């Protein structure tokens, strides 16, 4: 029901919500893929544009869900007092927060599907198709669960946020670094070995990039001498465990904030 | 009709925060069909008590039952039969007036058609039909208060909690709210309201609880409270230094209060004593009026200003 509320708002504001998310991947693809990519011979034997296309899908998952459950959730909770109004009905605090998280995951799925459509269409202009594995069909599913993870992490920040400016910290110190350092616009192997290990071991976007790249091009960038199977298995397990952990944590922290 | 069935019962109800106690071990009962007013200065614990009744806040100690359900364990059942009109505006600015009601109805699991039917009825009653499709931002304060009230009725509640329902309303809108409260009372809805307007409490409430510093300091019907604490009539006149002595002589048992440059004389003697006094002494700017709840309230909670 909380999900439904947010969905209704999304439909009402389709124009401002849909078109920007359509335009952004086109710009990235044009600027980095076709513009900058023209100066880069190839990465791991594939054209640069093919390297970044799956990463754009992963980034759209992160941005869609993270910003939905930080700024947007905070506005609903703090300024609009929407949560206060809902918890006066039979809906519980836990359900309100769970609804927000599922909605964040849905936004991620919508965004990722749009970007997937954009890169599929862009394949018309590339030497090698940007989407080359039949597993691409799994992208919406991956997007939903990865979106749930970023939503849940975001919700933990929202539970701690004293005001809306607070989100500058996670946005610039957490999201922006991941945007560049998780095997998105250049391979992880370009980083010093310890940084490679760190990005691979702990940063959520690295795992999402790995899994999405695996689904879209059927291969991942080799790192630290590990096999493709080992990398993918690690990323999938990491994502599942982290999603469960942060989902529970996000709900509990929000409950603590809203009921005291 | 007020029955003798207890619908809301609290005993030793307490809400503590880190460094202060908002509600300090209160006991009260609200009977089915009754309209009870919680009066008290800012920070007395009124809103905290209301919030515990609809499970928004969990009590730190004590018992609280609403419609036979325990607030510690059966919140969902309580919230299904309670309607809440909070003090602050928490209407959904992302939706129109009508959509606010139907979306809210959905949280109660009310079907789409039924929700639409009830929403239209409420809009009609609260004279908001013309604003049906208007965004919340375009509503006046009075319209927003009425919509919040309408929203609280969407689940046809047994218990209605009205937290300062008329604050900031013009007299017309205030009377519309009063009419609705009276109508609901006739329908057998049990109502708890908080207010800072003493005339409102006097007109609407069967019984009044006066709270201060987290405790109930007095309770009774408006009439009982007025007679007990301030008597029947009040004499108000301009202050003059000779007057207190004169008044003390004339009304030995009276309570005399000075408020800036006015004097108020309270007495429990029957009607007419003040007229006799005024015939003997020619005084300017004099008024004899009926004693009211405001006199009771100020006597019991003092005149000092309270901060939130």
């Amino acid at each position: 029901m909380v999900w439904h509320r947010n969905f209704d708002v999304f439909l009402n504001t389709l124009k401002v919500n849909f078109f920007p998310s359509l335009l952004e991947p086109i710009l990235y693809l044009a600027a980095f893929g076709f513009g900058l990519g023209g100066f880069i011979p190839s990465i791991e034997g594939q054209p640069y544009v093919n390297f970044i296309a799956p990463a754009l899908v992963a980034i759209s998952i992160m941005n869609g869900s993270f910003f939905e459950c930080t700024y947007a959730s905070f506005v609903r909770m703090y300024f609009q007092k929407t949560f206060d109004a809902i918890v006066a009905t039979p809906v519980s605090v836990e359900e309100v927060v769970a609804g927000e998280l599922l909605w964040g995951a849905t936004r991620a799925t919508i965004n990722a599907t749009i970007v997937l459509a954009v890169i599929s269409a862009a394949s018309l202009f590339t030497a090698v198709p940007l989407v080359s594995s039949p597993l691409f069909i799994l992208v919406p599913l991956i997007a939903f669960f990865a979106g749930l993870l970023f939503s849940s992490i975001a919700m933990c920040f929202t539970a701690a946020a004293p005001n809306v400016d607070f989100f500058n910290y996670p946005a610039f110190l957490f999201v922006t670094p991941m945007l560049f350092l998780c095997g998105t616009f250049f391979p992880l192997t370009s980083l010093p070995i310890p940084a490679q290990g760190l990005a691979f071991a702990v940063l959520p976007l690295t795992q999402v990039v790995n899994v999405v790249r695996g689904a879209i091009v059927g291969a991942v960038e080799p790192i630290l001498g590990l096999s493709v199977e080992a990398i993918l298995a690690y990323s999938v397990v990491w994502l599942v465990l982290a999603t469960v952990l942060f989902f529970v944590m996000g709900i509990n922290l929000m409950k603590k904030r809203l009921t005291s | 009709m007020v029955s003798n069935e207890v619908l809301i019962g609290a005993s030793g109800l307490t809400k503590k925060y880190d460094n202060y106690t908002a509600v300090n071990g209160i006991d009260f009962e609200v009977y089915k069909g009754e309209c009870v007013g919680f009066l008290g200065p800012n920070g007395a614990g009124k809103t905290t008590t209301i919030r515990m009744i609809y499970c928004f806040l969990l009590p730190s100690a004590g018992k609280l039952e609403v419609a036979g359900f325990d607030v510690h364990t059966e919140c969902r059942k309580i919230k299904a039969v309670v309607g809440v009109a909070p003090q602050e505006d928490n209407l959904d600015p992302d939706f129109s007036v009508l959509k606010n009601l139907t979306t809210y109805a959905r949280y109660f699991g009310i079907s789409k058609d039924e929700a639409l039917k009830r929403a239209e009825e409420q809009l009609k009653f609260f004279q908001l039909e013309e604003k049906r499709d208007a965004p919340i931002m375009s509503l006046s304060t009075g319209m927003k208060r009425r919509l919040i009230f309408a929203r609280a009725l969407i689940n046809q509640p047994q218990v209605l909690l009205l937290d300062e329902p008329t604050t900031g309303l013009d007299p017309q809108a205030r009377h519309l709210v009063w009419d609705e409260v009276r109508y609901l009372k006739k329908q057998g809805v049990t109502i708890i309201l908080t207010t800072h307007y003493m005339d409102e409490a006097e007109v609407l409430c069967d019984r009044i609880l006066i709270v201060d510093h987290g405790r109930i300091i007095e309770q009774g019907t408006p009439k009982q409270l007025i007679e007990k604490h301030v008597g029947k009539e009040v004499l108000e006149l301009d202050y003059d230094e000779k007057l207190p002595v004169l008044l003390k002589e004339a009304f030995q048992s009276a309570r005399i209060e000075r408020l800036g440059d006015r004097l108020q004389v309270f007495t429990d003697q029957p009607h007419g004593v003040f007229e006799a006094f005024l015939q003997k002494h020619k005084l300017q700017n004099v008024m004899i009026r009926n004693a009211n709840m405001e006199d009771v309230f100020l006597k019991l909670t003092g005149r000092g200003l309270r901060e939130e």
Side-chain angles (χ1 to χ4, degrees):
Chain A
M1 286 177 287
V2 177
W3 181 92
H4 205 143
R5 177 217 168 267
N6 289 339
F7 182 69
D8 286 352
V9 177
F10 177 75
L11 288 184
N12 288 345
T13 55
L14 200 59
K15 267 188 233 146
V16 284
N17 269 318
F18 185 77
F19 292 103
S21 40
L22 189 66
L23 191 65
E24 200 189 12
I26 297 177
L27 277 175
Y28 268 110
L29 208 58
F32 287 101
F34 299 113
L36 188 65
F39 300 94
I40 297 165
S42 72
I43 290 176
E44 309 289 338
Q46 56 182 336
Y48 184 65
V49 67
N50 293 58
F51 178 78
I52 66 158
L56 295 180
V57 175
I59 289 168
S60 77
I61 293 170
M62 172 174 75
N63 284 344
S65 50
F66 193 84
F67 291 102
E68 186 64 34
C69 287
T70 46
Y71 292 96
S73 287
F74 190 81
V75 166
R76 287 191 282 271
M77 167 180 78
Y78 190 82
F79 295 107
Q80 303 187 355
K81 310 236 176 268
T82 307
F83 297 176
D84 289 359
I86 300 173
V87 298
T89 74
V91 180
S92 68
V93 176
E94 292 91 332
E95 288 161 342
V96 171
V97 181
E100 288 283 309
L101 296 176
L102 291 176
W103 173 246
T106 307
R107 278 305 299 269
T109 312
I110 295 169
N111 284 12
T113 309
I114 294 170
V115 179
L116 186 66
V118 168
I119 62 172
S120 305
S123 295
L124 293 172
F125 310 102
T126 59
V128 186
L130 298 181
V131 181
S132 56
S133 161
L135 290 177
F136 83 90
I137 202 80
L138 293 176
V139 165
L141 193 70
I142 297 166
F144 188 83
F145 285 101
L148 199 57
L149 170 62
F150 286 115
S151 295
S152 302
I153 295 173
M155 200 51 90
C156 294
F157 286 112
T158 300
N163 53 54
V164 80
D165 294 322
F166 171 83
F167 294 123
N168 287 341
Y169 290 114
F172 290 111
L173 300 179
F174 180 60
V175 171
T176 307
M178 280 201 292
L179 181 65
F180 295 109
L181 299 178
C182 292
T184 43
F185 296 105
F186 59 86
L188 276 183
T189 44
S190 314
L191 294 171
I193 295 280
Q196 279 182 42
L198 202 66
F200 180 56
V202 302
L203 292 182
L205 187 63
T206 312
Q207 324 307 329
V208 180
V209 169
N210 283 340
V211 177
V212 171
R213 192 166 274 150
I216 290 181
V217 299
V220 291
E221 147 203 21
I223 175 186
L224 302 169
L226 294 166
S227 70
V228 170
E229 289 78 13
I231 291 172
L232 278 175
Y234 176 81
S235 289
V236 169
V237 171
W238 196 102
L239 285 174
V240 170
L241 292 180
T243 304
V244 172
L245 176 73
F246 282 104
F247 186 79
V248 173
M249 207 161 110
I251 289 182
N252 282 326
L253 290 174
M254 282 297 278
K255 188 181 175 194
K256 221 167 156 190
R257 172 172 186 149
L258 289 168
T259 55
S260 65
Chain B
M1 284 299 102
V2 180
S3 78
N4 51 12
E5 182 189 336
V6 175
L7 202 61
I8 301 171
S11 64
L13 185 64
T14 302
K15 181 68 190 178
K16 278 192 176 129
Y17 292 99
D18 293 342
N19 46 14
Y20 96 112
T21 306
V23 175
N24 196 356
I26 60 172
D27 305 304
F28 65 87
E29 265 141 28
V30 177
Y31 297 94
K32 197 168 185 216
E34 201 180 19
C35 178
V36 171
F38 277 72
L39 306 185
N42 284 337
K46 304 181 300 284
T47 299
T48 307
T49 305
I50 295 252
R51 287 182 168 172
M52 287 192 281
I53 294 175
Y54 75 93
C55 296
F56 188 84
L57 294 173
L58 206 60
S60 315
K63 255 184 82 168
L64 177 58
E65 280 191 1
V66 182
F69 303 119
D70 189 328
V71 295
H72 292 276
T73 52
E74 294 168 300
C75 276
R76 208 183 288 269
K77 287 179 188 157
I78 291 175
K79 292 194 289 183
V81 296
V82 173
V84 186
Q87 224 176 82
E88 76 275 11
D89 163 23
N90 62 15
L91 293 165
D92 201 324
D94 293 324
F95 292 128
S96 69
V97 167
L98 181 78
K99 198 82 208 280
N100 255 277
L101 297 179
T102 52
T103 304
Y104 204 71
R106 192 163 60 206
Y107 301 135
F108 286 93
I110 297 167
S111 76
K112 213 173 163 184
D113 295 341
E114 178 65 18
L116 194 65
K117 200 183 113 220
R118 290 189 195 179
E120 304 269 14
E121 274 168 22
Q122 292 303 337
L123 291 185
K124 194 168 168 194
F125 190 92
F126 285 97
Q127 298 175 23
L128 288 164
E129 279 166 306
E130 284 175 21
K131 293 285 171 182
R132 191 179 182 274
D133 300 310
I136 297 302
M137 292 261 278
S138 70
L139 301 185
S140 68
T141 315
M143 290 174 185
K144 282 183 188 167
R145 293 294 331 162
R146 270 140 63 197
L147 185 58
I148 288 171
F149 197 160
R151 192 184 62 178
L153 297 173
I154 206 81
N155 60 326
Q156 301 176 331
Q158 283 183 44
V159 178
L160 185 62
L161 306 175
L162 303 171
D163 200 357
E164 297 189 22
T166 60
T167 299
L169 296 192
D170 63 18
Q172 285 82 358
R174 211 147 88 94
H175 280 276
L176 189 71
V177 169
W178 289 6
D179 286 346
E180 178 69 6
V181 170
R182 288 198 198 95
Y183 170 78
L184 291 165
K185 232 167 87 177
K186 267 189 214 144
Q187 305 290 306
V189 177
T190 307
I191 300 167
I192 293 186
L193 74 88
T194 76
T195 181
H196 286 309
Y197 303 112
M198 299 301 139
D199 55 333
E200 182 166 296
E202 212 174 316
V203 179
L204 296 178
C205 299
D206 300 316
R207 205 151 53 86
I208 284 171
L209 307 180
I210 297 180
V211 285
D212 201 8
H213 304 296
R215 290 182 178 283
I216 295 172
I217 54 173
E218 181 59 291
Q219 54 180 305
T221 66
K223 212 171 148 222
Q224 283 170 350
L225 293 178
I226 293 166
E227 276 182 13
K228 178 175 170 191
H229 291 283
V230 288
K232 286 199 164 58
E233 286 183 335
V234 182
L235 173 68
E236 279 193 30
L237 58 181
D238 278 349
Y239 179 76
D240 177 325
E241 49 197 26
K242 285 171 291 184
L243 265 177
V245 183
L246 208 59
L247 290 164
K248 263 275 173 270
E249 264 171 32
F251 313 105
Q252 267 128 26
S253 63
R255 186 164 64 88
I256 301 168
E257 271 204 28
R258 184 180 166 186
L259 271 175
D261 62 353
R262 293 285 279 178
L263 279 176
Q264 290 189 335
V265 187
F266 301 93
T267 173
D268 50 9
Q269 287 172 45
H271 283 285
V273 291
F274 290 133
E275 274 95 342
F277 173 81
L278 290 176
Q279 269 161 12
K280 265 201 285 175
H281 306 271
K282 292 277 167 273
L283 293 164
Q284 298 256 304
N285 222 349
V286 179
M287 183 172 79
I288 301 172
R289 61 169 173 81
N290 287 329
N292 60 33
M293 271 310 297
E294 189 134 342
D295 301 321
V296 177
F297 185 79
L298 291 173
K299 183 185 169 195
L300 292 177
T301 61
R303 290 185 180 273
L305 282 180
R306 305 297 175 90
E307 301 299 328
E308 280 280 4

